Amino acid sequence: MDFTPTPEQEAARDLAARIFGDLSTPERLAGLGGGTDGELWKELGAAGLAGAVEETGLLGLVLMLEEQGRTTAQVPFAASCVYGLLAVAAHGTDEQRERLLPGLRDGSAVAAGAFPARGGIVVDALRDGRARLSGAVPWVPWLRDATQVLVAVRGETGKDIHSLWMVWADDAVREPVELTAPWSAGRLVLDGVEAERIGGPEAYQDVLAAARTAFAGLQAGVGAGSLDRAVEYTNEREQFGRPLAAKQGVQLRAAEAYMDIEAIRVTAYEAAWRRDAGLDHESHALTAAWWASEAGKRVVHTGQHLHGGMGADLDHPVHRHFLWGRQLDGYLGCGAELLEELGEVIASGAGAADGGEAA
C-alpha cells in the first residue's frame, strides 16, 4: 500500500487548506452560531472541491476533510460528498448520475444521510425503483441545509438487505435539532414521501464504510487542530518563569495526543486507499471509526486540559474542537459497539478478503 498523495490529491488538499484557513477563522465562526457558513460553501463549490472527489477518490476526500477539521469549518462537506456524490457515482444508474451529480459537484445541491439504518421506516414499494417512505429519523446532520437525503432503511432479516433511498428534503418535514456540534441537524419525518432506490443490496455497506472512513478523517483534523492550539498556548504561557511546554507532564500528554492522531490518520488512510483500489475495506473502515471514536475524544480532552483554566472558557476556540470531537465520537458510534461489529466481520471472514487484516 502507498498513502503518498497523487499530484491531484495534493492540489485538492492544499486548496482546501487555503480556503478553510482563510475563511473559517475563529472570529467568523463565532458569528455563525449554529448555522452553516454559506459563503464558505459557495467558495468550495466555485473551487470545484466537491466535484474533485470523483477524481481524487475517498483518500482525496479524507485529506480535504482533515483540513476542514483543523478549522472546524461549518459546512456539510463530508455529508454531501459521502451520502451524495460518492454514493450516486458508485451505485446510481446512468440516469441518476446524469440528473443528480451536476448539482452535487458544484454545491448547488446538498446531500445529507439518515445513517446508520434504523427501524421505524416503512417502505411501500411502487415500481421502477421507486417507493413511498413513512417514519421518522430522530436526527440527521446537516438536514436543515439538505436538498436531498439518502435514507438507509433497515431490512427485516439481516444487514445484507438494508436498502438506500433518496428523498427530496422539501417533500419531508424537517424539525430543527441542536447537537453537541453546530451541524445544522434536524429530525426527519416522512409521511408517504416518494423515494428512489439507490443501488442494490451491496450499496448500504459500501456507503456506510465510506462514511465511517470520511468522518474518521474529519476527526483526525479536529484532533490536530486541537493539539496545534494546545502546543501554541503551552509555549506562550509561562509558569514560574518557564513555558508550560517545558514541563514533562505537558510534553507527555501532548505526545500521547499526537500518537492518537497519527493512529486515526493512518487507519483512515488505509481504509480510504483500499476502497479506491477496489479492495475489501469494511473491517478497515470499522478500525478507523474505532480509533476516531475512542482516541478522538481523548485528544480533544487533552487539548482542553492543556489550556488550563482557559480550556473551561466556552468562547475559546479550543472549545469548538472539543464539541466537534465529542460529536464525532457519538456519530461514529460507541467504541464497544464498533469492536463488536468488527469482531463479527472478522469472524465471518469478510475482513480477510484480498489478504487484508484489520489494523
Side-chain angles (χ1 to χ4, degrees), residues 163-336:
S163 55
L164 299 182
W165 301 86
M166 188 73 81
V167 303
W168 294 97
D170 287 343
D171 295 337
V173 175
R174 292 179 283 176
E175 303 169 351
V177 172
E178 296 302 325
L179 303 181
T180 301
W183 284 5
S184 298
R187 180 172 182 263
L188 179 70
V189 181
L190 306 171
D191 185 9
V193 172
E194 187 170 333
E196 56 184 294
R197 181 76 179 260
I198 301 292
E202 78 291 343
Y204 171 75
Q205 286 298 331
D206 178 63
V207 175
L208 178 60
R212 283 169 165 163
T213 303
F215 283 99
L218 185 61
Q219 182 76 300
V222 169
S226 175
L227 183 59
D228 286 346
R229 293 190 182 280
V231 169
E232 181 181 6
Y233 177 80
T234 55
N235 273 284
E236 293 177 350
R237 181 79 165 87
E238 291 189 357
Q239 189 178 66
F240 305 117
R242 299 177 62 201
L244 288 175
K247 296 182 177 294
Q248 187 178 48
V250 172
Q251 294 172 5
L252 290 174
R253 287 295 301 276
E256 290 172 350
Y258 175 80
M259 293 303 296
D260 273 338
I261 294 167
E262 287 300 295
I264 300 169
R265 178 180 286 123
V266 73
T267 52
Y269 285 5
E270 181 181 15
W273 175 84
R274 291 183 65 87
R275 183 184 188 274
D276 291 342
L279 301 174
D280 175 79
H281 59 285
E282 183 181 359
S283 63
H284 302 79
L286 279 162
T287 302
W290 182 84
W291 273 106
S293 175
E294 291 292 297
K297 62 188 172 190
R298 286 199 298 267
V299 171
V300 295
H301 274 269
T302 293
Q304 203 156 3
H305 289 168
L306 291 181
H307 278 76
M310 294 300 294
D313 183 356
L314 302 186
D315 295 324
H316 195 284
V318 77
H319 187 64
R320 295 182 57 83
H321 293 270
F322 177 79
L323 296 178
W324 276 65
R326 291 312 306 254
Q327 182 67 63
L328 283 162
D329 166 36
Y331 189 56
L332 288 163
C334 166

Side-chain angles (χ1 to χ4, degrees), residues 48-131:
L49 287 181
V53 173
E54 289 182 274
E55 298 180 10
T56 64
L58 184 57
L59 181 55
L61 176 60
V62 166
L63 293 170
M64 289 187 278
L65 289 175
E66 278 193 76
E67 302 305 326
Q68 179 186 358
R70 289 179 187 275
T71 62
T72 61
Q74 291 178 200
V75 287
F77 194 42
S80 195
C81 286
V82 171
Y83 299 126
L85 194 79
L86 290 179
V88 174
H91 302 288
T93 64
D94 291 341
E95 187 276 332
Q96 286 173 327
R97 288 193 289 267
E98 183 178 354
R99 173 166 48 90
L100 299 175
L101 287 179
L104 293 166
R105 289 178 184 130
D106 64 21
S108 59
V110 175
F115 268 70
R118 300 177 176 89
I121 301 294
V122 178
V123 180
D124 182 12
L126 299 178
R127 60 181 180 177
D128 299 328
R130 292 187 174 271

